[in-house]
Amino acid sequence: MNIDEVTLTPPPLIKVTGLYKKFCKDRISNMYYGIKDLIIYFFGLKPDYSSLRKNEFWALNDINLKIYEDDIIILAGVNGSGKTSLTRMLTGIYENERGTIKYHKKIKKVISVFAIKSGFNPILTGRENIYLKAAYYGMLRKEVEANMNFIISFSDLGSFIDTPLGKYSSGMKTRLAMSLVLSIKSDILFIDEGFSFSDSKFKIKCYRFLKEEYTKNGRALVIVSHRLMELSHLANRLIVLEKGKIINTTRDVVQGIKDYTIN
């Protein structure tokens, strides 16, 4: 029996059953299959997603997963193992073609962070970029204004908040982007390689904040990363993917990381 089923009785925030996702290696084949599938949809039918066609491969292969309240998960695996594909499926970026993804009725907001500094405009000020980027996350103007003091304070930008972003260093842009993300009260937050920056002091500050926010507050955090030991003190669960399959899920994060790096 899975350890989650033994130790946790509340219903999961997300329940994934038999989830598959396939992609095509070849551009011409991909275009051909896309047109063919559109024609099938046009006639009110649904394409067959149960098997692979020539040059296709499973990016996700029979994923079964539950995410619970207060989970802080490291999603690990080598490049190409399916981490980002799974994250994009769970956040609705990719269409669900085969399998089920069920969200608890309490879930109101799910936020996903991929290219954390994308979407900024170098001509606009830091403050103006907050409004711009916040719209990407679905935030209303009144939400941004309510969070503005937190964002400025957490980012330590001070008076630079009203300086054009083109004058910012890379680290300043990262602090602004991450502070905006952390200001959002999401039920589930997905961060894909958001901690690849080198500012260790700000990174520790982020980790402390996330641990406080996503422990015993009925929310969940999923971090896709290769920085496993660095995140081991933050996370309470490790999920490892390999070739589109979950090969390990454990709440003994440190031991799970050791097993993963050895194997």
Side-chain angles (χ1 to χ4, degrees), residues 32-55:
Y32 170 72
Y33 296 147
I35 294 170
K36 184 177 179 181
D37 290 347
L38 284 174
I39 294 172
I40 293 173
Y41 275 121
F42 179 78
F43 287 101
L45 303 174
K46 187 175 181 180
D48 180 15
Y49 294 114
S50 63
S51 59
L52 295 176
R53 295 170 287 195
K54 185 179 179 181
N55 293 325

Side-chain angles (χ1 to χ4, degrees), residues 103-167:
Y103 297 87
H104 192 282
K105 60 183 180 181
K106 69 172 283 186
I107 300 299
K108 298 294 188 294
K109 181 176 287 189
V110 176
I111 298 295
S112 58
V113 181
F114 293 97
I116 192 166
K117 290 186 286 187
S118 67
F120 280 150
N121 188 323
I123 299 175
L124 301 179
T125 67
R127 189 186 303 272
E128 291 166 337
N129 269 287
I130 289 173
Y131 286 103
L132 179 66
K133 184 80 171 182
Y136 170 82
Y137 294 124
M139 296 178 70
L140 301 175
R141 186 177 182 86
K142 62 180 182 180
E143 291 181 89
V144 181
E145 291 172 349
N147 293 346
M148 186 63 74
N149 288 338
F150 169 86
I151 297 168
I152 297 172
S153 173
F154 198 89
S155 64
D156 291 323
L157 289 174
S159 61
F160 286 101
I161 198 67
D162 293 309
T163 299
L165 201 80
K167 304 295 183 181

Side-chain angles (χ1 to χ4, degrees), residues 89-105:
M89 290 291 291
L90 296 180
T91 54
I93 295 174
Y94 287 158
E95 182 183 5
N96 182 11
E97 300 165 345
R98 182 182 172 193
T100 60
I101 303 173
K102 294 183 178 180
Y103 297 87
H104 192 282
K105 60 183 180 181

